[in-house]
Amino acid sequence: MRHVIALDVGGTGMKAALVGDDGELLHRARRATGRERGPDAVVGTILGFAAELRAYGVETYGEPAAAAGIAVPGIVDDEHGIAVYAANLGWRDVPLRALLAERLGVPVALGHDVRTGGLAEGRIGAGKGADRFLFVPLGTGIAGAIGVDGRVEAGAHGFAGEIGHIVVRPGGTPCPCGQHGCLERYASASAVSEAWAAACGDPEADAADCAKAVASGDPNAVRVWQEAVDALADGLVTALTLLDPRTLIIGGGLAEAGEVLFQPLRDAVRRRVTFQKMPSIVPAALGDTAGCLGAGLLARDLLDSTDPSEVTA
């Protein structure tokens, strides 16, 4: 059975799958990155994990994977297959595509984690059938994936979609990027967790707790939540003005609040648009499998591409 290897590397853990030609996840596995042992150890763990997946494919399906795709965080040079920088993993300028190709003996595609997840959501998830979409996961930070006709735009330097660093509150909270008032300092899951912990006096409280308190009508929670929603709407309307997507897909931990998030967010965006067309605002459909599914799509694209170097996410 022809299949590909899909790897989704996070800050502390990795998710992987063998993916069939029909997109089915044939086999799933997880590993810790081992980042506490340093960046070289992380790379070694990735290569070893990929080799294990190859061996499993040979044993189970009678043949090795035909290609591999890997999604990684941080700054990614898709064109040259370089994992440029990832703060959580401590690596710089790792030629990950070449290292994996050498270990596996097959073509390898390297992609940015959010863009790769967005590729999956756009093709087979919540954005399926939309010619233009914007995927925005609300997690520790906020990033974005700009979808155009079945592919995801990386930008000239690999930085396209960094919506979390749109300044929505000029002169506001400092951001590690060097600016003040960035969107992710107000509307990410971590920002909401921080604001709610301060408001309720419980340092262990998080965004999920805030959402529950909003649903129960707690006025303090409603205030914290609405401030985040308003900031998010300001950032999204800027993105809508520039990109004019047909579908806006919201994912990440904050989206798990469901209509507690989506109803006020749709209302807030609608109040802000003037000449812009209101997009469909929908929750992501693939959850934590998006990265693996997207990496699998990258790998399958390699097999269909006459020039594998053109396949990016």
Side-chain angles (χ1 to χ4, degrees):
M1 178 183 293
R2 193 173 84 153
H3 62 279
V4 299
I5 293 170
L7 279 161
D8 179 17
V9 179
T12 58
M14 297 184 288
K15 296 183 286 288
L18 298 182
V19 185
D21 270 350
D22 59 356
E24 181 184 0
L25 295 177
L26 303 171
H27 168 70
R28 301 192 212 188
R30 291 177 182 255
R31 291 284 186 283
T33 59
R35 67 175 181 172
E36 67 280 358
R37 294 182 287 121
D40 291 342
V42 173
V43 174
T45 301
I46 291 170
L47 297 177
F49 194 16
E52 288 177 29
L53 292 162
R54 182 187 187 279
Y56 182 92
V58 171
E59 180 181 348
T60 306
Y61 304 112
E63 60 180 291
I70 179 168
V72 298
I75 300 171
V76 181
D77 181 346
D78 308 61
E79 183 179 356
H80 298 102
I82 306 295
V84 177
Y85 175 72
N88 287 338
L89 298 174
W91 64 29
R92 288 182 181 272
D93 298 321
V94 179
L96 202 51
R97 185 174 68 192
L99 291 171
L100 271 171
E102 181 180 1
R103 176 65 66 93
L104 299 174
V106 297
V108 174
L110 175 69
H112 180 271
D113 56 353
V114 172
R115 292 196 293 269
T116 302
L119 182 71
E121 284 288 353
R123 285 198 197 171
I124 60 177
K128 185 177 180 180
D131 55 345
R132 303 286 190 281
F133 70 88
L134 178 63
F135 170 56
V136 181
L138 309 173
T140 304
I142 300 177
I146 302 164
V148 181
D149 292 333
R151 65 179 183 84
V152 173
E153 174 59 50
H157 307 96
F159 297 154
E162 289 291 346
I163 184 175
H165 297 289
I166 290 176
V167 174
V168 294
R169 301 291 181 265
T173 304
C175 180
C177 79
Q179 300 187 115
H180 289 73
C182 288
L183 174 61
E184 69 176 41
R185 301 300 297 141
Y186 297 90
S188 62
S190 57
V192 174
S193 294
E194 184 179 335
W196 177 234
C200 73
D202 178 1
E204 301 299 318
D206 62 14
D209 297 322
C210 185
K212 291 174 186 174
V214 170
S216 69
D218 184 305
N220 264 342
V222 170
R223 174 185 56 78
V224 168
W225 195 259
Q226 192 61 52
E227 286 174 358
V229 167
D230 285 340
L232 181 57
D234 287 340
L236 291 176
V237 170
T238 297
L240 301 184
T241 305
L242 289 171
L243 302 172
D244 187 27
R246 198 172 306 279
T247 304
L248 178 55
I249 306 164
I250 307 294
L254 218 56
E256 293 175 8
E259 286 304 301
V260 172
L261 173 68
F262 283 92
Q263 181 176 337
L265 179 60
R266 292 183 186 112
D267 290 343
V269 172
R270 191 174 289 110
R271 287 195 301 270
R272 286 162 171 78
V273 297
T274 53
F275 66 88
Q276 305 93 334
K277 290 291 185 180
M278 183 75 182
S280 298
I281 302 177
V282 299
L286 302 177
D288 71 353
T289 66
C292 261
L293 288 167
L297 289 172
L298 286 181
R300 288 163 57 200
D301 283 352
L302 275 177
L303 300 176
D304 298 332
S305 173
T306 55
D307 181 1
S309 69
E310 293 179 356
V311 180
T312 60

